[in-house]
């Protein structure tokens, strides 16, 4: 078999990630005295790229250098793409700088610049991305015209920083002026910008664009960006209809060139997300209702798009607005424990929140009661207080570290002691799962430390100082800092004249500092 045929077969097996056959064919070539050529090494590099094996690619490059085979821009492109894929961004820029300063024969081309600009986006270094764009278009030797790859990378770099929201739209218009159409990938990039900036107005318009073109298809990322735009908008407490790119002169240009707005929400197509028939959402209640309707739409029409990332972002909408009612309803509808309740003996924390104890001394509202310490706390069962979840929600995400963290934060913000206790108990049982065991030790400690701090603060806010102290003294392994982690607990105890608790906290902090010093 000729060297050409060997290279062809090696290339075919490389594309299918068949490492064994590639190695066998290379050995067969060498046994016949047919040494690997530049083309052979290119196919081997592609194999390791597909296998995400950076070390193997580096070894191949060393062999090529030893054999005097000069690397081409195709090889450098593969190496930089691998660095980007595996987030080896320092190595990526080492390769990029080598190409720029070593010689003029292999100056970076549009592909190389697009990867480098995209890497700047991954590092949220938009300023450097803009500098690279200026460099490539104004360099003395062979200045380059930006193609769609470069412009998309530049839009992505702008999408990672809220202050470059408008500039990203400008580059999208530039791409259109250069003859590049508004494709599916461009819409996803712009949705990401809306997510970072909390631009609900444009996020809704862009998502509908994915339904306007038959060849386009929304993905999980599309809805995650929409939910994140809802969430960011609420977190910043800004007017829902304000701070949109649509309100600027640039927005008017974008509307004329790319996105028609008139009557876009007046439709009866059941295949399209059920947005409210208004161009702008004006109240928090409207936004929460629309978000819930969109999630129900996904449940009924696109359950394959309901990922843990989509659900995490969906829950953050209610959490960021401190909406206890919506959060707990959505929590019950969209998530389920990752551990078997029969094994963990932990009741579902979305429901089991009934107060146990003596009768109340005086009447209170239907949604709250007075705790024995005199603190107003939520107490009635979930199913009586908020109504049962929608039975249409049949696709549920397993509760993970992010969901537990968000639930504990919500319980603290809304003074929901009983929900917080149940979430924390379920989270403790979750630590038996493979997901938890597969985390790196430092990541486990970081997450556990944050959960314990939330629970201590929940207890302190409810004036359950003994419970808070019990939890604190059981976790001396964490790097406690008084001003950063225990000041709220200490202040609440001081306000309640609990000198015994104050003394214990002070002694605990002094003891942990002493252990660290030793």
């Amino acid at each position: 078999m000729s060297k050409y045929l060997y290279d062809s077969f090696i290339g075919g097996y490389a594309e299918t990630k068949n490492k064994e056959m590639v190695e066998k064919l290379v050995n067969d070539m060498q046994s016949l005295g047919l040494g690997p050529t530049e083309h052979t090494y290119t196919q081997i590099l592609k194999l390791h790229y597909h296998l995400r094996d950076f070390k193997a690619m580096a070894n191949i490059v060393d062999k090529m250098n030893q054999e005097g085979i000069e690397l081409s821009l195709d090889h450098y492109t593969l190496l930089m793409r691998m660095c980007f894929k595996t987030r080896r961004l320092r190595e990526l820029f080492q390769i990029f700088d080598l190409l720029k300063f070593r010689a003029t024969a292999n100056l970076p081309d549009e592909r190389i610049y697009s990867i480098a600009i995209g890497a700047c986006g991954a590092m949220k270094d938009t300023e450097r991305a803009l500098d690279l764009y200026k460099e490539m278009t104004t360099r003395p030797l062979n200045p380059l015209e930006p193609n769609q790859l470069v412009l998309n990378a530049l839009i992505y770099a702008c999408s990672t920083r809220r202050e470059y929201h408008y500039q990203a739209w400008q580059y999208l218009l530039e791409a259109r002026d250069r003859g590049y159409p508004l494709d599916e990938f461009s819409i996803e990039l712009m949705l990401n910008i809306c997510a970072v900036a909390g631009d609900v107005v444009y996020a809704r318009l862009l998502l509908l664009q994915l339904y306007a073109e038959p060849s386009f298809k929304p993905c999980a990322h599309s809805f995650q960006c929409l939910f994140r735009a809802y969430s960011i908008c609420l977190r910043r407490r800004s007017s829902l209809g304000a701070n949109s790119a649509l309100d600027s002169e640039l927005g008017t240009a974008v509307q004329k060139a790319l996105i028609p707005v008139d009557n876009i929400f007046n439709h009866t197509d059941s295949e399209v997300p059920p947005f409210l028939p208004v161009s702008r959402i004006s109240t928090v209640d409207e936004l929460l209702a629309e978000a819930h309707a969109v999630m129900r739409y996904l449940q009924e029409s696109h359950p394959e798009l309901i990922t843990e990332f989509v659900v995490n972002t969906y829950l953050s909408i209610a959490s960021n607005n401190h909406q206890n009612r919506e959060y707990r309803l959505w929590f019950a509808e969209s998530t389920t424990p990752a551990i078997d309740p029969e094994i963990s003996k932990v009741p579902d924390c979305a429901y089991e929140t009934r107060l146990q104890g003596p009768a109340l001394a005086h009447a209170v509202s239907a949604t709250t009661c007075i705790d024995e310490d005199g603190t107003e706390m939520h107490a009635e069962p979930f199913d009586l207080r908020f109504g049962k979840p929608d039975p249409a929600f049949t696709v549920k995400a397993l509760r993970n570290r992010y969901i537990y963290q968000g639930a504990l934060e919500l319980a603290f913000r809304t003074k929901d002691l009983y929900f917080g206790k149940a979430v924390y108990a379920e989270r403790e049982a979750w630590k038996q799962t493979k997901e938890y065991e597969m985390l790196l030790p430092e990541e486990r400690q970081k997450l556990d430390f944050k959960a314990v701090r939330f629970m201590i603060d929940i207890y302190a806010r409810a004036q359950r100082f003994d419970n808070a102290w019990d939890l604190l003294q059981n976790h001396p392994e964490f790097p406690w800092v008084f001003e950063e982690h225990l000041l709220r607990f200490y202040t609440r105890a001081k306000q309640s004249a609990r000198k015994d608790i104050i003394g214990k906290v002070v002694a605990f902090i002094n003891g942990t500092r002493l252990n660290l010093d030793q």
Side-chain angles (χ1 to χ4, degrees), residues 419-463:
F419 183 53
K421 286 173 62 178
V423 169
Y424 186 79
E426 186 180 297
R427 187 191 183 281
E428 286 294 288
W430 165 79
K431 289 161 69 172
Q432 305 170 23
T433 64
K434 288 183 179 180
E435 179 194 3
Y436 180 81
E437 293 175 355
M438 290 176 66
L439 294 173
L440 295 174
E442 55 269 26
E443 182 69 11
R444 286 202 299 265
Q445 185 188 53
K446 179 181 176 181
L447 292 168
D448 291 345
F449 188 24
K450 195 162 190 176
V452 170
R453 297 200 317 263
F454 267 130
M455 199 61 223
I456 287 175
D457 284 342
I458 290 170
Y459 278 132
R461 199 166 194 178
Q463 300 182 30

Side-chain angles (χ1 to χ4, degrees), residues 6 9 35 53 71 136 275 291 371 374 381 402 423 428 441 484 486 491:
Y6 269 114
F9 279 115
D53 192 340
L71 272 69
M136 68 165 278
F275 290 145
D371 172 88
Y402 305 111
V423 169
E428 286 294 288
E484 185 178 351
L486 296 173
T491 302

Side-chain angles (χ1 to χ4, degrees), residues 17 40 86 137 158 162 173 190 212 237 239 376 495-496 516:
K17 306 180 186 180
T40 310
T86 57
T137 55
C158 290
R162 181 172 179 261
L173 284 175
M190 302 316 295
R237 297 291 190 274
S239 174
E376 187 178 271
Q495 290 170 347
S496 298
L516 288 173

Side-chain angles (χ1 to χ4, degrees), residues 281-302:
I281 298 174
S282 58
T283 69
V284 171
D285 287 341
E286 286 179 352
L287 188 146
L288 293 171
E290 181 172 285
H292 189 264
V294 171
M295 180 55 85
R296 176 166 181 156
Y297 160 80
L298 291 178
Q299 289 277 345
E300 295 176 340
S301 302
H302 294 286

Side-chain angles (χ1 to χ4, degrees), residues 31-266:
S31 67
L32 295 174
L34 303 174
T37 63
E38 177 187 341
H39 182 71
T40 310
Y41 281 126
T42 300
Q43 303 309 318
I44 298 173
L45 282 172
K46 287 181 179 178
L47 166 71
H48 296 307
Y49 171 79
H50 293 315
L51 294 175
R52 299 174 68 96
D53 192 340
F54 178 82
K55 185 176 180 180
M57 289 186 76
N59 291 335
I60 295 300
V61 170
D62 287 341
K63 285 185 179 180
M64 293 175 69
N65 288 330
Q66 291 170 9
E67 295 178 16
I69 299 176
E70 185 176 355
L71 272 69
S72 67
L73 282 180
D74 288 338
H75 299 137
Y76 287 117
T77 300
L78 267 179
L79 286 169
M80 289 180 65
R81 286 173 63 189
M82 170 58 99
C83 291
F84 187 86
K85 184 185 289 189
T86 57
R87 289 299 186 263
R88 298 173 182 269
L89 301 182
R90 184 175 62 85
E91 290 88 343
L92 185 153
F93 281 105
Q94 286 176 345
I95 297 170
F96 180 70
D97 291 339
L98 176 68
L99 276 172
K100 281 203 305 182
F101 301 119
R102 189 178 65 173
T104 59
N106 270 334
L107 281 175
D109 61 7
E110 295 89 345
R111 295 172 301 170
I112 299 291
Y113 271 103
S114 70
I115 298 170
I117 291 171
C120 293
M123 298 187 298
K124 297 186 178 182
D125 191 350
T126 309
E127 292 83 1
R128 186 175 186 182
L130 296 173
D131 288 343
L132 288 177
Y133 180 66
K134 182 178 180 180
E135 172 190 295
M136 68 165 278
T137 55
T138 61
R139 66 187 187 185
L141 293 175
N142 188 26
L144 301 173
E145 286 292 317
N147 60 15
Q148 192 167 20
L149 280 176
V150 172
L151 289 170
N152 279 341
L154 197 58
I155 292 169
Y156 166 66
C158 290
S159 78
T160 60
R161 297 265 295 280
R162 181 172 179 261
E163 57 267 37
Y164 291 98
H165 182 199
Y166 288 72
Q167 203 154 342
W169 288 104
Q170 289 175 338
Y171 288 122
L172 186 67
L173 284 175
E174 181 180 338
R176 181 61 177 262
D177 292 341
R178 290 178 178 275
Y180 302 121
L182 182 67
D183 58 11
E184 194 172 355
F185 184 69
S186 299
I187 292 176
E188 292 293 343
L189 283 175
M190 302 316 295
L191 276 169
N192 197 62
I193 293 171
C194 293
V196 172
D199 193 338
V200 173
V201 177
Y202 254 135
R204 298 166 82 230
L205 290 170
L206 284 165
L207 192 62
L208 288 179
Q209 291 303 301
L210 292 173
Y211 289 85
E213 173 58 51
S215 62
F216 294 172
K217 185 178 180 182
C219 61
H221 174 263
S222 312
F223 287 95
Q224 185 182 1
C225 286
L226 174 68
F227 289 151
R228 190 179 177 202
Y230 289 152
S231 177
I232 294 293
C233 180
L234 289 180
R235 188 176 71 195
R236 291 186 178 137
R237 297 291 190 274
S238 60
S239 174
L240 294 174
N243 299 324
S244 171
L246 189 65
D247 298 322
S248 64
E249 291 183 9
L250 174 64
T252 303
V254 170
Q255 178 184 338
K256 289 180 179 179
L258 302 173
I259 303 174
V261 177
D262 296 339
N263 299 319
I264 194 170
F265 294 101
N266 295 326

